[in-house]
Amino acid sequence: MIIVTGGAGFIGSNLVKELNRRGRTDIVVVDNLTHGQKALNLTDCIIADYHDKEDFRDLIEADAHLGPVEAVFHMGACSATTEWDGRYIMRNNFAYTRELFHWCQDRRIPFIYASSAAVYGGNDTFREEPAHERPLNAYGYSKLAFDQYLRRHMDSLTAQVVGLRYFNVYGPREGYKGGMASVIHHFSNQLREGNTVRLFEGCDGYADGEQRRDFVDVRDCVNLKLWLLEHPEVNGIYNCGTGRARTFNDMARATIDWFGRGEIEYIPFPDHLKGRYQSYTQADLSQLRAAGCDLEFHDIEDGVRAYLDAVAADQAD
């Protein structure tokens, strides 16, 4: 069986759906459905079992036998970059990951977990090296803390362990995330309600809407995870992005092109994000390519079109 924590979430549910498409239904989903809207991400998926996050943690701490486990994909976490309760975020993001890591190592089970490009903070070099890791928020630090923990154990691994530093992921099944959803989600909602897409004014030396991010299609994130499962010799921490920085204006225009209408409006940059905002990200893929991964990543024009086509098909159903 395959265990997917955060399996009702954005990337997790897309992974479950792709596993189904590849013929796998022996999937155990672990999640927290206090906000039950996430459950809708699994209505078109087939799973073998479900555990609440805390119940699953109890099973892990009790050293329970869960049957033959082929791999654990760990994405369950607090993903809010605006969360400043450090005790809460470290327990959910660092301690939980550490517990699962050791549980998998004790059983020689591959463990592929979600890190984040938030570990890089305001740097302009996005390479998987400590010199470039300076998070701007507690979320980013919680992800960096486990990456550092893994580095201390790399020489004694019993099974595959890979951390993927996701850049700005977008795609279907993210609607439940509210303010943390991708800009495409927000842009498309704005155009359904009116004729204007709203972007932040310039900051950090960038002109209006010209801040740049590495926007990556969730399909590429899922394909990379499954490529790693097929290559158990690959271990370590790797960036998961396209390697191409694009502007928020580019994303807005791609969304406007799909709708066939719309204008861009620039709004004041929020005070609470000043000094805590990544105005530029671009994944360095050299280590991923050196590990043998030759997967191609969608550009935003293809990705946005596929995303909005999928949303429109769901709404038509």
Side-chain angles (χ1 to χ4, degrees):
M1 79 176 71
I2 294 174
I3 296 175
V4 182
T5 76
F10 171 34
I11 300 176
S13 61
N14 277 282
L15 173 60
V16 172
K17 184 64 177 176
E18 179 61 18
L19 284 167
N20 284 175
R21 193 187 71 79
R22 298 187 186 196
R24 299 296 298 264
T25 58
D26 55 334
I27 304 164
V28 175
V29 166
V30 178
D31 213 307
N32 175 5
L33 292 180
T34 299
H35 300 291
Q37 185 180 0
K38 280 197 297 184
L40 301 181
N41 281 340
L42 295 174
T43 56
D44 62 344
C45 299
I46 301 172
I47 65 172
D49 205 352
Y50 172 86
H51 293 291
D52 177 78
K53 176 189 74 172
E54 292 303 327
D55 293 341
F56 184 68
R57 194 170 197 169
D58 290 342
L59 292 172
I60 295 301
E61 291 176 351
D63 199 25
H65 178 68
L66 300 178
V69 178
E70 179 180 338
V72 173
F73 291 99
H74 177 47
M75 285 159 290
C78 171
S79 61
T81 57
T82 53
E83 177 60 65
W84 284 100
D85 184 337
R87 293 184 67 188
Y88 170 79
I89 208 165
M90 289 299 286
R91 175 168 170 76
N92 279 273
N93 293 8
F94 173 73
Y96 200 175
T97 306
R98 181 181 59 194
E99 292 161 14
L100 277 175
F101 164 71
H102 284 293
W103 187 84
C104 288
Q105 285 291 291
D106 290 345
R107 291 158 180 77
R108 300 180 183 271
I109 297 169
F111 181 63
I112 300 170
Y113 72 92
S115 184
S116 172
V119 304
Y120 297 115
N123 282 281
D124 57 7
T125 300
F126 301 88
R127 192 177 304 125
E128 305 92 325
E129 298 171 354
H132 309 300
E133 297 163 355
R134 294 291 184 276
L136 298 173
N137 50 49
Y139 167 76
Y141 176 71
S142 72
K143 293 297 187 177
L144 176 60
F146 184 76
D147 289 351
Q148 292 174 333
Y149 188 83
L150 172 60
R151 285 169 174 156
R152 293 173 60 88
H153 292 80
M154 285 297 298
D155 293 336
S156 58
L157 297 180
T158 65
Q160 180 185 37
V161 182
V162 178
L164 290 177
R165 289 182 170 173
Y166 296 111
F167 280 67
N168 285 78
V169 187
Y170 64 89
R173 305 173 195 263
E174 65 169 328
Y176 74 92
K177 295 180 68 176
M180 292 293 108
S182 75
V183 293
I184 305 171
H185 173 78
H186 295 296
F187 293 164
S188 60
N189 282 346
Q190 290 166 9
L191 288 176
R192 289 186 185 96
E193 296 169 359
N195 199 50
T196 303
V197 168
R198 293 182 290 278
L199 302 183
F200 290 151
E201 293 176 345
C203 65
D204 298 331
Y206 291 88
D208 294 349
E210 287 295 299
Q211 300 93 332
R212 295 172 178 266
R213 295 278 183 88
D214 192 329
F215 297 100
V216 58
D217 191 317
V218 70
R219 294 174 297 174
D220 297 326
C221 300
V222 167
N223 287 335
L224 177 53
K225 283 178 174 295
L226 296 178
W227 181 89
L228 287 165
L229 188 61
E230 295 167 356
H231 293 81
E233 74 281 2
V234 177
N235 292 285
I237 299 164
Y238 298 95
N239 287 331
C240 181
T242 66
R244 302 181 295 273
R246 301 292 300 271
T247 70
F248 285 86
N249 282 325
D250 289 337
M251 294 297 277
R253 293 183 190 113
T255 309
I256 288 170
D257 285 347
W258 188 88
F259 277 86
R261 60 177 177 81
E263 299 177 348
I264 298 174
E265 174 189 357
Y266 300 104
I267 61 176
F269 193 86
D271 287 338
H272 73 277
L273 291 179
K274 292 179 179 177
R276 301 191 179 101
Y277 186 78
Q278 288 178 296
S279 293
Y280 169 81
T281 65
Q282 179 171 283
D284 183 324
L285 299 183
S286 56
Q287 291 197 35
L288 184 66
R289 297 312 187 196
C293 180
D294 58 358
L295 295 178
E296 294 297 324
F297 295 87
H298 294 86
D299 62 32
I300 62 171
E301 286 75 18
D302 288 340
V304 169
R305 187 182 311 113
Y307 178 12
L308 295 178
D309 283 348
V311 171
D314 285 345
Q315 291 175 340
D317 291 341

